[in-house]
Amino acid sequence: MKLAMIAFTRAGCRHGEKIRKVMDSRGNSCEICAKGREAASWGVPVLEEPLREWTKRQFASQDALLFIGAAGIAVRAIAPFVESKASDPAVLCMDEQGRFLISLLSGHLGGANELTRELAAICGSIPVITTATDAGGRFSVDSFARKENLYLDNLKLAKRISAQVLEKRPLGLYSDFELSGQVPVELALGTNKELGISISLDDSCNPFPMTLHLVPRITVLGIGCKKGTSKEQIEALVKKVMAQNQISMHSIRRVASIDLKKEEPGLLEFCEAYTAEFLTYSREELEGAACEEGFLESAFVKEITGLGNICERSALKASGRTKLLQRKTAENGVTVAIALEEYVVRF
């Protein structure tokens, strides 16, 4: 979590510093600055540039923004940069006395509602959540998708689902995965509804006439490639193998390889395009990977890297599993193997 805060009074700075210390201790990246005539004496960095420019930069780089001051200041500052609930960061606002903390923008997908509750607990503030499903204590598909790390494929359909929840009309639920916890009363297992949610790696699975696809981001790709292999070459084979296994590209969470490839441009560009974490391992680390079926060895790869198989070992190492979904596939100097992280749907 990357959080940027701005305060407009000395009291606001005190609250911001308290939040920063706690959030930093939890492994987050937090920064605070102050803006005002006497800001130089408030003990935090002073913002010299216009508030508009600061807000523009934070919108592009941060997960969340917190304005500690009047809500009107926050609204005017963010107005030019608000685009979509799918991409806007969470925006929160706290009064300078720390009495109330408001979830202002991107409450569900951006995580503002959840963050509001977390920061309010730190400061002893009253969290103010105004989204209809949260206010009514009902199931929110947006919040559920964020909590469970699910890709949500249709925002318009998600809005329609939220409206149906508020109207107390049950929705269908289909899942390829085990369900844990109490299924919300708004969801009915089965496929006999007009509108429903599908939790599957296959985003072409349509169990309902109107299906909202929630795709778990649990796919781990092990990739090996020749030096200088382009992102397009890597992508072509990955798409082919994923399609063969009926797995959405939106499910990719990690890409793994040997540390010899840690600066390989094509791999880095591919990971950036799919917002995938890129992990690399030493030869010794990959030697420790275990595969239930055994590895498909290559004498050429072993001569270059000291191991007869990179992609399968990497996929298993990064997923924490011992079984592959897809064994090594090779094409145009690229090798790909697929493993899936363990996953259970938790309500």
Side-chain angles (χ1 to χ4, degrees):
M1 162 68 71
K2 295 187 292 184
L3 169 65
M5 299 177 283
I6 185 164
F8 302 93
T9 64
R10 186 189 300 274
C13 288
R14 286 197 295 268
H15 292 300
E17 273 292 277
K18 184 176 182 179
I19 289 170
R20 184 189 63 78
K21 290 176 182 177
V22 174
M23 293 297 283
D24 279 349
S25 72
R26 296 175 181 175
N28 300 284
S29 172
C30 299
E31 59 182 62
I32 180 172
C33 61
K35 191 166 183 65
R37 290 181 180 179
E38 301 177 9
S41 65
W42 296 343
V44 301
V46 177
L47 181 67
E48 302 292 351
E49 67 182 327
L51 179 60
R52 177 191 173 95
E53 295 305 312
W54 178 87
T55 306
K56 181 179 181 179
R57 285 193 297 105
Q58 307 311 325
F59 246 68
S61 62
Q62 302 294 313
D63 298 314
L65 284 68
L66 170 60
F67 291 81
I68 307 176
I73 295 175
V75 171
R76 291 186 178 89
I78 67 174
F81 313 112
V82 175
E83 291 185 358
S84 165
K85 65 190 296 184
S87 58
D88 292 336
V91 179
L92 287 67
C93 181
M94 174 192 279
D95 68 278
E96 66 178 72
Q97 299 303 319
R99 292 184 60 199
F100 301 99
L101 211 160
I102 307 168
S103 174
L104 201 60
L105 185 72
S106 292
H108 291 149
L109 284 181
N113 291 353
E114 180 183 348
L115 184 61
T116 294
R117 296 185 183 99
E118 183 178 4
L119 301 191
I122 292 172
C123 295
S125 308
I126 298 172
V128 180
I129 312 292
T130 60
T131 44
T133 49
D134 290 88
R138 298 188 174 276
F139 173 74
S140 164
V141 69
D142 310 61
S143 293
F144 173 69
R146 177 181 173 83
K147 177 178 71 73
E148 288 297 298
N149 196 23
L150 299 162
Y151 172 78
L152 187 156
D153 78 332
N154 189 318
L155 290 176
K156 288 184 178 179
L157 204 52
K159 186 175 181 179
R160 185 165 185 167
I161 282 176
S162 294
Q164 190 154 314
V165 165
L166 293 172
E167 292 168 4
K168 299 183 180 180
R169 296 164 56 198
L171 302 156
L173 172 64
Y174 169 87
S175 176
D176 283 334
F177 300 91
E178 177 187 345
L179 304 180
S180 173
Q182 184 66 45
V183 176
V185 295
E186 295 89 350
L187 304 179
L189 283 168
T191 59
N192 61 342
K193 303 296 182 185
E194 183 72 14
L195 175 62
I197 295 166
S198 169
I199 304 175
S200 173
L201 293 175
D202 181 5
D203 56 10
S204 66
C205 171
N206 293 303
F208 310 99
M210 290 183 288
T211 300
L212 177 66
H213 299 103
L214 299 182
V215 180
R217 297 198 70 202
I218 59 172
T219 298
V220 179
L221 302 176
I223 300 181
C225 64
K226 292 180 180 178
K227 185 177 181 179
T229 301
S230 69
K231 174 243 184 185
E232 289 71 25
Q233 288 172 288
I234 294 168
E235 187 175 49
L237 181 57
V238 170
K239 283 185 173 181
K240 178 180 178 180
V241 174
M242 295 283 276
Q244 289 171 346
N245 286 277
Q246 294 181 293
I247 301 177
S248 168
M249 292 291 285
H250 296 297
S251 72
I252 299 172
R253 182 174 185 178
R254 295 192 177 100
V255 173
S257 192
I258 193 167
D259 57 6
L260 295 172
K261 298 296 177 182
K262 63 183 178 182
E263 302 295 338
E264 190 67 43
L267 279 171
L268 294 171
E269 290 171 19
F270 176 83
C271 292
E272 182 178 3
Y274 290 92
T275 60
E277 182 182 8
F278 185 38
L279 302 175
T280 59
Y281 301 100
S282 67
R283 180 176 62 81
E284 292 75 18
E285 288 175 313
L286 292 179
E287 278 182 326
C291 182
E292 292 180 8
E293 305 97 332
F295 294 106
L296 297 175
E297 301 285 333
S298 164
F300 173 75
V301 173
K302 189 168 185 177
E303 183 180 346
I304 300 297
T305 66
L307 291 172
N309 186 300
I310 297 301
C311 64
E312 292 182 348
R313 290 179 180 274
S314 299
L316 292 173
K317 180 72 175 176
S319 66
R321 306 296 293 275
T322 59
K323 185 176 178 62
L324 293 162
L325 176 73
Q326 171 65 57
R327 307 210 67 183
K328 179 176 73 173
T329 300
E331 190 175 282
N332 296 328
V334 182
T335 59
V336 173
I338 301 175
L340 300 178
E341 295 178 344
E342 288 192 64
Y343 183 69
V344 174
V345 182
R346 291 180 171 82
F347 286 105

